[in-house]
């Protein structure tokens, strides 16, 4: 079994990482395309300030990707449902050296 199989990550998303802010405010990196699994579902999550907020989508990506809170993710690119949303929270499921996949779950606005 290969975790690179499209069965596990059937979608693609575009990610623009949030860059450290300076005197001109926050900036974003150039977009990059990542294989992912996208689920449109509303659920309650805690943001980086600890407040409860509603997330409208969750995006699962390989754990090797770096996507900080505040980054912008475009889901469903090229479709009528395409939208760009901010990352509210990131959780990791790191299964180490087992046969299980390790991944990040991005909670989007």
């Amino acid at each position: 079994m290969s975790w690179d199989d499209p069965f596990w990550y059937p979608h693609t998303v575009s990610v623009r990482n949030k860059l450290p802010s300076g005197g001109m405010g926050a900036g974003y990196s150039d977009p990059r395309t990542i294989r992912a699994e996208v689920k449109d579902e509303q659920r309650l999550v805690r943001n980086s300030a600890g407040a409860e907020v509603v997330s409208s989508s969750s995006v699962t990506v390989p754990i090797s990707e770096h996507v900080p809170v505040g980054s912008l993710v475009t889901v469903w690119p090229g479709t009528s449902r395409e939208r760009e949303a901010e990352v509210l929270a990131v959780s990791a499921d790191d299964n180490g050296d087992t046969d299980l996949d390790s991944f990040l779950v991005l909670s989007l606005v």
Side-chain angles (χ1 to χ4, degrees), residues 95-106:
N95 291 300
D97 293 333
T98 67
D99 288 339
L100 299 174
D101 187 30
S102 295
F103 53 88
L104 299 176
V105 177
L106 315 175

Side-chain angles (χ1 to χ4, degrees), residues 24 27 29-30 40 74:
M24 300 295 285
S29 68
D30 291 333
D40 288 334
T74 302

Side-chain angles (χ1 to χ4, degrees), residues 64-108:
S64 58
E65 297 295 339
H66 173 68
V67 184
V69 169
S71 297
L72 299 175
V73 177
T74 302
V75 295
W76 311 119
T79 71
S80 61
R81 298 183 302 160
E82 178 177 332
R83 70 183 183 89
E84 184 175 64
E86 182 180 347
V87 176
L88 295 169
V90 178
S91 59
D93 189 343
D94 189 345
N95 291 300
D97 293 333
T98 67
D99 288 339
L100 299 174
D101 187 30
S102 295
F103 53 88
L104 299 176
V105 177
L106 315 175
S107 298
L108 307 182

